[in-house]
Amino acid sequence: MTSMTSASTLPPSVPPAAPPDTPASAPALGREELGRLYRARLSKGRATLGELFGGHIEVASEGAWVTTSTGERFLNCGGYGVFLMGARHPTVIRHVAEQLATHPVATRLFLEPQVALAADALVSVAPRGLERVHFAGSGAEAAETAIKLARTRGHHRLIAMENGYHGKTMGALSLTGKSVFQDPFRPLLPETSHVPYGDAAALESLLATVPGEACVFVEPVQGEAGVVLPPAGYLRAVRELCDRYGAFLVLDEIQTGLGRLGSWWGADREDIAPDVLLVGKGLSGGVVPVSAVVATREAFGAFDRDPYLHTSTFSGAPLAMAAVRGALAAMHEDDLVTRSRELGAEILPELTRIVRSHYGDAVREVRGQGLLLGIEFADPGPAGDLLIELIMNGVIANHSLNSHLVLRFTPPAVLTRSDLDFFYEAVDRACRAQGARYAPTTAEGDKIHA
């Protein structure tokens, strides 16, 4: 990445908002003081990243926009998949505010209605056959729960996909297919293998050696690997192979589920159902951290019999469950699954046109499904530089943890026409500023454009 230390300047088309009021409980901090606290109390590396991305201090958000302490506004097309319904959706906020005012955390001894209602609402939109829910706090915690469910069924051999991402706690990290994250913490879980994503034949070769023992983790689209789409029919083939060799199938939809791909679930696109579904990111509408494991009755059997076998103090906390109910209600009220599909169908070709016009063959591919979109460059460097340039033009995007070649966009499904126009204009300016550095040239020195 190229270091950029100057503050960004908003384009004239987006006037700065007035700086929001800062609650007395969170005193206003200047850039230098906040950086000092990050370095002293959090992480020196994180402080450096903050400076690299402009040193902005985010203090408020609403819909598709984030506001900084200086009143600058940024279109949030990042957030790693959390903000499909934007920030502070009014339906979610209403549910959470009502619960906060009455009963935010339960005793865990008595029955409590919010967790039951949230579970029922989630099952109502889940793939067929999934009937039981365990709520957790993070995607990695959901992955850990799925590993434990698999082991209660005798499936102790873990199989995941190369470059897949399932979290960074010890069990989840064993599945995450990137050695740079794994190596400092070895040894990880034993009997864990990785096969190429999208290669059903490679999966079958391994499953055939461990009949009845394997648990397979797979993503419908690999997000952190750089928006990697599998071949058509791949998920169906994985399901069939798991059935043939008696394997336990976990479908990680933490990033792809709840409308992100333009369907409720990636599983819907090939009409399959896993033994366990992992849900997270936007499950609470971006208000309270929460994730879920949704399982078949058979897969959940051990947890059905013993409620103390797998517990967590804040699992199913009423405040988080109110957020889940609000988020699912908002999905229905605003038809955000359809909106995601329609927006993605518009954005992908326009994004492709803009990027290709400035980068030419320096771009390998622009791809995506729904509102999970990626730009893959031919060489290292451009993805990081474009990420910074976009911030300087008022747009937040994502890098990809498992691919330094891919810049990702995970925009909300609440984008308006003016938001889209701003997005296209900002991407065009950013690509024009950076593309000249990377587009190949002819012998005569002219830029080659697609």
Side-chain angles (χ1 to χ4, degrees):
M1 292 184 178
T2 302
S3 177
M4 299 286 184
T5 56
S6 61
S8 68
T9 302
L10 281 177
S13 59
V14 181
D21 293 334
T22 304
S25 59
L29 293 174
R31 177 171 162 178
E32 290 187 6
E33 175 62 12
L34 187 57
R36 184 191 68 78
L37 283 175
Y38 262 77
R39 288 188 294 272
R41 300 289 181 255
L42 295 169
S43 163
K44 293 179 181 179
R46 184 62 185 85
T48 300
L49 277 177
E51 288 299 316
L52 182 64
F53 296 137
H56 303 287
I57 303 172
E58 58 182 89
V59 295
S61 56
E62 184 172 5
W65 295 86
V66 173
T67 303
T68 70
S69 58
T70 59
E72 294 173 282
R73 299 176 69 228
F74 293 82
L75 184 67
N76 188 6
C77 294
Y80 302 97
V82 169
F83 298 105
L84 186 79
M85 59 195 66
R88 299 195 305 117
H89 190 287
T91 298
V92 182
I93 294 299
R94 184 177 69 253
H95 279 74
V96 170
E98 290 173 358
Q99 194 63 37
L100 182 63
T102 56
H103 188 50
V105 177
T107 66
R108 303 301 303 277
L109 291 178
F110 300 158
L111 301 181
E112 188 280 320
Q114 290 296 328
V115 66
L117 292 169
D120 191 52
L122 184 54
V123 166
S124 74
V125 298
R128 66 184 183 280
L130 302 182
E131 302 178 9
R132 297 289 198 274
V133 182
H134 172 82
F135 287 105
S138 69
E141 190 179 350
E144 300 283 351
T145 303
I147 293 171
K148 292 176 74 174
L149 282 174
R151 289 195 169 184
T152 68
R153 304 291 296 175
H155 302 278
H156 57 91
R157 292 291 302 264
L158 297 176
I159 301 174
M161 308 302 147
E162 294 175 1
N163 293 319
Y165 187 88
H166 303 284
K168 295 195 181 89
T169 52
M170 291 299 281
L173 182 59
S174 303
L175 300 165
T176 291
K178 191 72 171 179
S179 60
V180 68
F181 300 127
Q182 294 180 325
D183 288 347
F185 306 106
R186 296 186 188 278
L188 299 170
L189 290 185
E191 299 184 298
T192 302
S193 305
H194 291 80
V195 297
Y197 183 67
D199 189 340
L203 177 61
E204 180 171 19
S205 294
L206 183 52
L207 286 174
T209 67
V210 287
E213 299 178 3
C215 171
V216 176
F217 276 73
V218 66
E219 300 162 89
V221 174
Q222 287 190 318
E224 294 296 345
V227 192
V228 179
L229 281 65
Y234 173 66
L235 290 183
R236 189 177 302 113
V238 171
R239 176 71 273 182
E240 291 171 354
L241 289 171
C242 287
D243 291 339
R244 185 182 309 164
Y245 293 101
F248 191 89
L249 177 58
V250 178
L251 194 61
D252 187 337
E253 296 238 30
I254 289 166
Q255 184 164 167
T256 59
L258 294 172
R260 176 57 62 183
L261 299 182
S263 55
W264 271 102
W265 311 101
D268 297 343
R269 304 179 75 88
E270 296 192 6
D271 191 28
I272 69 157
D275 297 289
V276 170
L277 178 78
L278 306 186
V279 191
K281 299 295 186 183
L283 182 57
S284 75
V287 174
V288 182
V290 67
S291 63
V293 173
V294 193
T296 65
R297 187 181 307 176
E298 293 76 17
F300 205 76
F303 289 9
D304 255 344
R305 292 187 295 272
D306 185 350
Y308 291 111
L309 192 61
H310 181 70
T311 60
S312 173
T313 301
F314 293 102
S315 171
L319 190 68
M321 298 301 96
V324 170
R325 293 184 63 207
L328 292 172
M331 293 287 295
H332 289 295
E333 291 168 5
D334 295 349
D335 196 10
L336 294 180
V337 175
T338 300
R339 182 67 176 151
S340 176
R341 182 168 60 251
E342 292 173 346
L343 280 171
E346 175 187 331
I347 293 172
L348 182 58
E350 183 64 10
L351 182 65
T352 302
R353 183 194 66 78
I354 293 170
V355 172
R356 290 276 186 204
S357 70
H358 294 295
Y359 282 92
D361 292 339
V363 169
R364 184 173 293 161
E365 187 179 16
V366 183
R367 57 179 178 262
Q369 281 184 3
L371 292 176
L372 179 57
L373 307 162
I375 304 170
E376 181 176 358
F377 292 91
D379 298 298
D385 289 336
L386 183 56
L387 175 62
I388 294 171
E389 193 71 41
L390 282 166
I391 291 173
M392 296 179 69
N393 281 275
V395 172
I396 299 171
N398 304 308
H399 60 283
S400 298
L401 285 176
N402 284 0
S403 176
H404 57 282
L405 297 175
V406 179
L407 176 70
R408 280 185 299 157
F409 294 95
T410 51
V414 298
L415 294 176
T416 64
R417 185 75 256 164
S418 62
D419 294 338
L420 285 167
D421 291 342
F422 174 82
F423 174 74
Y424 297 141
E425 293 167 7
V427 171
D428 186 68
R429 283 192 302 271
C431 288
R432 182 182 300 114
Q434 288 292 325
R437 300 176 56 192
Y438 295 103
T441 58
T442 67
E444 290 76 25
D446 298 325
K447 294 294 179 185
I448 301 173
H449 295 300

